């Protein structure tokens, strides 16, 4: 029994000491790591737009809910980091995650692409970092050229690295998804598409009339409300008026919060490259 | 055994990768370039020295039944700390080795030395053993990385940090086609096999002439 | 009483006077038609590839035997020469001499002698070398020069040809199907595939007829048995038939799969390698079926247009298991019933 106690005590002691050491190390390095990540991003921005001295950061939510930091540069140019996990449907990298910085001008044409992190095979897939390959993206856009690897799609405008088709495909997919993301949500300078205009209109109407206001059905966010109003088929759930009002209120609050979060620039600076 | 011998045994007689055949995962996986091998070796050396010292100090007070978990906790803590400091102060190296740093925890060399040597010897010897074994490991990885990089890519990267790049172009890719397979996993096995055979050949040669 | 000495030896005790040399010379002979066709189609280049790979294989064998202090005369037993010849036949004719030398080195040193020489290698040496080269030099191993008579063609089976530095290259029939099945399908010419005079591809795989002749010679000489080739071809045909009947627009018919690519050279010459194939008939049938299935699976849905080399190597790994599993019952053998 005594032996047992001794074992427990020593193991706990060692664990506690280890935890202490880790906490200390974390405290010492956390700021530095965050800074390194930021530095890396800043360096990449500088590489793409050499004359952009002070990029303005703002955070935009991607479709998958990821916070994406967009660096706005003068002349309506912008840079942002997009990874192979930021959107669905990107062909997977050979190993791990690839994050690339994409720089676009006001019309959504690529000005430059830089690889931020990757863990592809050195000497093969890692060649995606080489200027001669990644430079191919310059001048392309969603409408100009075709963002596809030639080996897969004969009309594509990107030559795959020989022996590293998977990595080449992954980066091409990321860049394409990044442009689509930018056109859909982040590109404030891009001419608003019809869909975006409709959304803005709807949002304005919401603010005026509330969610339940006239013709709010067009709004995507009102779907849950409709579900409450509609008499459920099959099982009849009776809700009294008071309950219904309460639910409406809750949802309205939620919607307001969501739309305001998406529209206003984030004030807090978030680290982008974070700890692994 | 003399202190000098404890230090030098890691380089040849008890070389961790070529004789003990420990730590094969990093040996095969990260040696795609000479510098990657060196970096991995150095990170392992740091952890190995630290873990050897700490374990030889605390070995006396740890009950025998919980020694393995204790060693693992100590090693894991050290590795995580190395990982953090590397990310903070050498981010380029960190991004190159990234995935393999956490793997040091389960690297057999460290646990093997802790169990077989550090727990039975005094601090001074344990530290010397750690340095010798670590540097021997680093040297082997460097040589293996050099072979693979030269054959598979035509270059030899000795040092790479931020803007400083010490890289020799052994031959031009356009003139001589590099044997791509040496960068890939099968090439690692083939190169390691030939390295092992070469070492044994020399050992046999020495034995005959001794 | 007369004094007699009895020699005590291991089985086999009945010997039909065959030897390694005899077997290997027969294999050599069987490969001659295919070699002639390829030299006619690709000209001097094909002869160069075959000569270099064969001679280099023998030389490497000689060096390895010297190095291991064995009888160096064993390098002339023909096995190294056959390995070299088979390797040469699996390469494109415009490949550079350096790559052939590396291939012969891998075949003889890494795939054969490192494991202990003839009879001890788990994987077919020629195919190991070919796959090594395919992974090491993906570019040169997948560009195919146009054969005689097609030099000025701008398209082969619907796929445009490309001009490289010194030659016009194109896709193999299987490559064309892989790239764009719908476009290539109407251009299949079974005649060409059978005679192989106007088909791009590896040196030795182009003429199905020449390979079939060689295969029949081996069967006639009882160098090989029918089990492996028949199982390979039947299983390829079976899957090809099913997919073709389901969707004839995207999947080629079985005859195309028989005659295109390296199926015949693989089935008759590579898969039947004594060292790396199972010994017993049942095992041979399973092994052959496995090779065929893997081949057609890689051809239809895999990343490479041709899969027979991978298929044979994978099944080589299974061979020891098959040998253990398919030991035939000795005559009169009965299982001892456990007492209950």
């Amino acid at each position: 029994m005594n032996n047992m106690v001794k074992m427990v005590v020593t193991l706990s002691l060692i664990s506690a000491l280890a935890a202490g050491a880790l906490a200390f190390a974390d405290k010492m390095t956390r700021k530095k790591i965050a800074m390194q990540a930021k530095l890396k991003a800043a360096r990449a921005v500088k590489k793409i737009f050499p004359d952009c001295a002070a990029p303005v950061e703002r955070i935009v939510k991607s479709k998958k809910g990821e916070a994406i930091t967009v660096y706005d540069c003068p002349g309506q140019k912008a840079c942002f980091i997009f990874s192979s996990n930021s959107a669905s449907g990107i062909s997977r990298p050979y190993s791990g995650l690839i994050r690339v910085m994409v720089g676009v001008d006001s019309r959504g044409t690529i000005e430059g692409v830089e690889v931020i992190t990757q863990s592809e095979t050195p000497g093969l897939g890692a060649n995606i970092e080489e200027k001669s390959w990644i430079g191919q993206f310059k001048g392309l856009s969603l409408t100009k050229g075709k963002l596809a690897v030639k080996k897969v799609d004969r009309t594509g405008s990107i030559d795959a690295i020989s022996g590293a088709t998977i990595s080449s495909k992954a980066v091409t997919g990321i860049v394409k998804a990044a442009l689509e993301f930018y056109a859909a949500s982040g590109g404030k300078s891009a001419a608003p598409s019809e869909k975006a205009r409709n959304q803005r209109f709807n949002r304005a109407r919401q603010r005026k009339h509330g969610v339940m206001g006239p013709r709010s059905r067009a709004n995507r966010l009102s779907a849950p409300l409709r579900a409450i109003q509609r008499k459920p088929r099959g099982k009849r759930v009776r809700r009294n008026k008071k309950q219904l009002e309460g639910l409406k209120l809750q949802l309205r609050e939620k919607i307001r919060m969501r739309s305001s979060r998406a529209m206003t620039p984030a004030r807090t600076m978030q680290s982008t490259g974070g700890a692994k | 055994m003399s202190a000098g011998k404890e230090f030098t045994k890691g380089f040849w007689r008890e070389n961790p990768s070529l004789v003990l055949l420990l730590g094969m995962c990093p040996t095969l996986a990260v040696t795609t370039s000479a510098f990657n091998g060196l970096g991995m070796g150095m990170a392992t050396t740091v952890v190995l020295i630290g873990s050897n010292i700490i374990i030889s100090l605390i070995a006396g007070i740890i009950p025998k039944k919980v020694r393995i978990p204790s060693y693992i906790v100590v090693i894991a803590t050290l590795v995580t700390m190395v990982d953090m400091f590397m990310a903070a102060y050498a981010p380029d190296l960190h991004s190159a080795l990234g995935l393999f740093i956490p793997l040091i925890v389960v690297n057999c060399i460290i646990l093997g030395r802790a169990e077989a040597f550090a727990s039975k010897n005094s601090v001074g010897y344990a530290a010397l053993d750690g340095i010798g074994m670590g540097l021997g490991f680093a040297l082997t990885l460097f040589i293996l990385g050099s072979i693979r990089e030269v054959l598979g890519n035509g270059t030899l990267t000795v040092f790479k940090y931020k803007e400083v790049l010490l890289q020799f172009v052994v031959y031009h890719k356009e003139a001589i086609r590099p044997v791509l397979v040496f960068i890939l996993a099968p090439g690692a096995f083939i190169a390691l096999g030939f390295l092992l055979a070469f070492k044994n050949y020399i050992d046999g040669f020495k034995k005959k002439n001794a | 009483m007369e004094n007699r000495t009895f020699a005590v030896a291991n089985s086999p005790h009945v010997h039909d006077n065959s030897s390694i040399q005899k077997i290997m010379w027969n294999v050599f002979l069987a490969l001659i038609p295919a070699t002639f066709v390829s030299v006619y189609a690709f000209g001097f280049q094909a002869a160069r590839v075959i000569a270099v790979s064969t001679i280099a294989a023998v030389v490497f064998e000689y060096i390895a035997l010297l190095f291991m202090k064995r009888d160096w005369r064993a390098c002339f037993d023909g096995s190294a020469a056959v390995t070299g010849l088979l390797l040469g036949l699996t390469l494109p004719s415009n490949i550079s001499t350096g790559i052939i030398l590396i291939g012969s080195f891998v075949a003889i040193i890494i795939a054969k002698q490192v494991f202990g020489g003839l009879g001890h290698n788990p994987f077919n040496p020629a195919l190991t070398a070919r796959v090594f080269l395919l992974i090491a030099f993906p570019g040169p191993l997948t560009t195919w020069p146009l054969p005689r008579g097609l030099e000025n063609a701008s398209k082969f089976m619907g796929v445009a040809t490309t001009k490289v530095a010194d030659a016009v290259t194109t896709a193999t029939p299987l490559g064309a199907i892989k790239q764009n099945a719908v476009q290539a399908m109407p251009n299949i010419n079974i005649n060409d595939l059978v005679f192989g005079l106007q088909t791009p591809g590896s040196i030795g795989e182009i003429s199905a007829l020449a390979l079939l002749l060689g295969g029949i010679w081996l069967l006639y000489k009882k160098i090989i048995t029918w089990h492996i080739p028949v199982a390979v071809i039947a299983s390829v045909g079976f899957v090809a038939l099913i997919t073709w009947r389901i969707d004839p627009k995207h999947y080629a018919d079985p005859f195309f799969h028989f005659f295109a690519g390296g199926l015949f050279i693989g089935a008759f010459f590579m898969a039947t390698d004594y060292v790396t194939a199972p010994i017993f008939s049942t095992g041979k049938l399973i092994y052959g079926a496995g090779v065929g299935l893997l081949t057609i699976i890689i051809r239809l849905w895999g990343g490479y247009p041709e899969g027979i080399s991978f298929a044979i190597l994978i099944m080589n790994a299974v061979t020891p298991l098959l040998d253990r599993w398919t030991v035939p019952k000795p005559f009169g053998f009965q299982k001892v019933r456990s007492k209950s």
Side-chain angles (χ1 to χ4, degrees):
Chain A
M1 204 59 222
N2 196 22
N3 220 356
M4 192 81 165
V5 174
K6 203 180 155 198
M7 276 196 310
V8 172
V9 170
T10 17
L11 209 50
S12 322
L13 208 69
I14 288 173
S15 306
L17 279 175
L22 280 181
F24 172 71
D26 183 54
K27 202 170 173 196
M28 273 193 61
T29 55
R30 169 169 293 206
K31 264 192 195 147
K32 191 94 185 168
I33 291 173
M35 220 177 77
Q36 289 286 8
K38 209 160 262 170
L39 256 173
K40 201 162 187 186
R43 242 184 288 151
V45 173
K46 198 98 196 190
K47 250 187 194 163
I48 296 172
F49 300 122
D51 51 348
C52 180
V56 184
E57 286 185 30
R58 68 193 159 99
I59 291 185
V60 180
K61 278 255 158 25
S62 82
K63 239 186 200 164
K64 267 178 114 183
E66 196 186 39
I68 287 172
T69 319
V70 179
Y71 301 85
D72 284 319
C73 288
Q76 297 191 320
K77 293 170 175 174
C79 273
F80 54 96
I81 295 176
F82 217 72
S83 82
S84 43
N85 266 355
S86 299
S88 44
I90 298 174
S91 74
R92 275 164 43 124
Y94 190 72
S95 72
L97 191 74
I98 299 180
R99 303 160 74 90
V100 296
M101 167 86 76
V102 183
V104 289
D105 71 359
S106 55
R107 273 165 311 187
T109 307
I110 298 171
E111 291 254 321
V113 179
E114 287 287 324
V115 176
I116 303 287
T117 45
Q118 51 92 4
S119 48
E120 304 297 287
T121 320
L124 269 180
N127 286 343
I128 51 171
E129 285 187 348
E130 302 264 315
K131 196 92 209 147
S132 56
W133 189 78
I134 202 93
Q136 287 184 90
F137 288 102
K138 198 170 173 173
L140 301 179
S141 74
L142 284 176
T143 48
K144 205 161 12 157
K146 188 163 187 188
L147 281 167
V149 176
K150 256 183 209 151
K151 210 165 176 186
V152 182
D153 184 342
R154 289 232 137 200
T155 57
S157 28
I158 304 293
D159 279 312
I161 301 168
S162 68
T165 316
I166 295 175
S167 311
S168 316
K169 254 165 67 185
V171 175
T172 312
I174 296 168
V175 172
K176 191 174 180 215
L179 286 191
E180 277 161 2
F181 152 79
Y182 191 71
S185 58
K188 65 167 184 196
S189 45
S193 65
E194 191 139 328
K195 203 174 158 196
R197 215 165 34 216
N198 276 341
Q199 269 175 4
R200 212 166 292 169
F201 180 60
N202 278 331
R203 258 188 230 129
R205 189 167 38 217
Q206 263 172 43
R207 237 167 287 144
K208 210 165 156 193
H209 302 287
V211 195
M212 299 304 295
R215 289 212 287 153
S216 66
R217 260 172 200 227
N219 195 319
R220 191 160 50 88
L221 291 169
S222 67
L225 268 181
R226 265 183 286 145
I228 299 171
Q229 282 179 323
R230 209 193 301 129
K231 279 174 192 157
R233 252 169 261 149
K235 236 198 318 191
R236 270 178 159 250
V237 183
R238 279 207 153 266
R239 287 200 175 91
N240 58 31
K241 236 181 179 171
K242 219 173 173 184
Q243 250 181 333
L244 206 63
E245 281 307 314
L247 271 170
K248 271 185 208 163
L249 213 74
Q250 268 178 18
L251 265 168
R252 211 172 294 163
E253 199 52 43
K254 216 183 237 170
I255 288 157
R256 192 171 304 143
M257 266 169 63
R258 211 185 284 181
S259 55
S260 69
R261 210 188 305 154
M263 304 257 305
T264 52
R267 249 159 251 135
T268 48
M269 305 268 258
Q270 259 184 319
S271 76
T272 47
K276 281 199 146 181
Chain B
M1 207 184 261
S2 73
K5 265 197 172 163
E6 293 297 357
F7 175 71
T8 53
K9 71 179 180 210
F11 287 91
W12 187 270
R13 204 163 37 81
E14 283 181 40
N15 185 299
S17 333
L18 295 182
V19 180
L20 308 177
L21 291 176
L22 291 175
M24 286 293 107
C25 169
T27 306
L28 295 168
V30 295
T31 52
T32 46
S33 81
F35 181 62
N36 276 5
L38 194 64
M40 183 73 198
M42 287 305 171
T44 313
T45 309
V46 171
V47 176
L48 193 55
I49 297 169
S51 74
N52 263 9
I53 291 176
I54 292 173
I55 283 164
S56 93
L57 281 174
I58 61 170
I61 51 165
I62 296 173
K64 228 179 169 179
K65 275 186 186 157
V66 289
R67 67 181 198 287
I68 300 286
S70 314
Y71 296 166
I72 290 282
V73 170
V74 170
I75 295 164
T77 312
L78 278 169
V79 169
T80 316
M81 283 169 77
V82 167
D83 187 38
M84 283 169 168
F85 280 107
M86 222 178 196
Y89 296 101
D92 293 82
L93 190 61
H94 186 260
S95 64
L97 300 176
L99 192 69
F100 301 104
I101 300 284
L103 284 181
I104 299 178
V105 178
V106 286
N107 188 333
C108 314
I109 296 172
I110 292 168
L111 193 62
R113 293 326 287 172
E115 171 75 7
F117 193 87
S119 60
K120 294 170 189 152
N121 286 285
S122 63
V123 183
Y125 279 147
L128 275 178
D129 177 77
I131 299 171
M133 282 285 169
L135 291 181
F137 182 63
L139 185 69
T140 319
L141 258 61
F142 179 75
I143 293 170
L144 192 59
S146 311
I147 296 172
R148 289 181 64 191
E149 196 188 346
V150 169
L151 288 177
N153 203 29
T155 54
L156 183 64
T157 318
V158 181
F159 191 77
K160 185 168 120 192
Y161 182 69
K162 280 189 183 158
E163 306 304 315
V164 186
L165 177 69
L166 186 58
Q167 188 183 50
F168 303 103
V169 178
V170 182
Y171 54 87
H172 284 280
K173 280 188 215 175
E174 290 75 28
I176 303 173
R177 212 182 282 275
V179 190
L180 213 55
V181 80
F182 276 100
I183 292 286
L184 302 169
F189 282 96
I190 293 171
L192 181 70
F194 273 90
L195 214 55
L196 274 172
F198 184 62
K199 192 203 172 275
N200 285 346
Y201 180 73
I202 292 177
D203 275 347
F205 193 73
K206 267 174 33 186
K207 215 182 244 168
K208 223 167 45 187
N209 292 354
Chain C
M1 264 286 261
E2 182 190 0
N3 238 354
R4 286 211 296 188
T5 47
F6 292 95
V8 180
N10 275 334
S11 64
H13 304 294
V14 183
H15 207 274
D16 68 347
N17 220 4
S18 69
S19 63
I20 296 176
Q21 278 95 325
K22 251 189 197 165
I23 293 170
M24 291 302 166
W25 275 113
N26 269 313
V27 178
F28 230 99
L29 222 73
L31 284 169
I32 281 179
T35 312
F36 269 124
V37 171
S38 60
V39 172
Y40 171 79
F42 296 113
F44 166 72
Q45 290 295 331
R48 174 191 62 104
V49 173
I50 292 170
V52 169
S53 70
T54 312
I55 294 168
V58 176
V59 171
F60 280 125
E61 179 103 341
Y62 173 71
I63 294 171
L65 290 169
L66 268 196
F67 209 71
M68 298 195 299
K69 302 194 174 80
R70 290 193 180 163
D71 186 4
W72 60 269
R73 278 166 300 183
C75 72
F76 295 118
D77 67 4
S79 68
V82 165
T83 299
L85 176 61
L86 281 173
L87 171 67
L89 290 176
T90 61
L91 300 175
S93 65
N94 62 342
I95 201 148
S96 71
T97 307
I99 294 180
I100 310 173
L101 289 177
I102 293 175
S104 291
F105 175 83
V106 172
I108 296 298
I109 307 286
I110 292 181
K112 188 174 161 193
Q113 294 296 349
V114 159
F115 289 98
L118 184 65
H120 299 278
N121 48 304
F123 297 102
N124 188 317
L127 281 179
T128 311
R130 189 202 138 74
V131 168
F132 181 94
L133 292 181
L134 184 62
I135 297 168
F137 309 102
L141 261 276
T142 44
T143 47
W144 315 94
L146 283 166
R148 184 192 300 264
L150 277 179
E151 285 102 336
N152 297 317
S154 62
K155 268 189 174 182
F156 174 74
M157 282 180 70
V159 177
T161 57
T162 40
K163 267 199 168 63
V164 231
D166 51 345
V168 186
T169 63
T170 181
T172 60
L174 284 167
I177 291 277
K178 186 119 228 165
Q179 269 183 18
N180 195 336
V182 181
Q183 225 177 67
M185 211 69 79
N187 297 311
I188 293 175
N189 186 342
I190 293 285
N191 257 346
D192 266 1
L193 294 176
V194 172
F195 293 106
L197 295 178
Q198 295 199 336
T199 316
S202 295
I203 295 170
E205 70 176 17
I206 52 169
S207 168
L209 186 68
L211 290 165
L212 195 63
L213 277 177
I216 289 169
W217 173 256
L218 290 184
L219 281 170
Y220 168 70
K221 278 281 171 186
K222 297 199 173 136
I223 307 282
I224 59 172
T225 60
W226 59 269
H227 303 85
I228 293 175
V230 167
V232 172
I233 292 165
S235 52
V236 165
F238 179 68
V239 178
L241 184 70
I242 293 174
T243 50
W244 175 60
R245 286 313 289 267
I246 291 172
D247 186 359
K249 240 180 146 179
H250 290 97
Y251 295 103
D253 59 283
F255 284 104
F256 172 77
H257 280 292
F258 289 161
F259 299 134
L263 187 70
F264 277 23
I265 191 171
F268 285 108
F269 295 94
M270 309 267 198
T272 53
D273 176 20
Y274 283 164
V275 183
T276 56
I279 302 166
F280 308 113
S281 316
T282 328
K284 280 180 181 171
L285 286 174
I286 299 171
Y287 169 89
V291 170
L293 281 178
L294 286 170
T295 305
I296 193 79
I297 285 170
I298 294 172
R299 275 186 183 183
L300 295 180
W301 302 291
Y304 285 94
E306 172 61 306
I308 186 126
S309 30
F310 295 106
I312 293 175
L313 286 178
I314 292 169
M315 288 314 286
N316 280 169
V318 188
T319 298
L321 281 177
L322 286 175
D323 271 343
R324 201 172 249 234
W325 185 36
T326 58
V327 179
K329 245 194 294 184
F331 181 70
F333 180 85
Q334 267 186 329
K335 208 176 170 186
V336 180
R337 278 207 193 139
S338 55
K339 285 172 202 160
S340 53

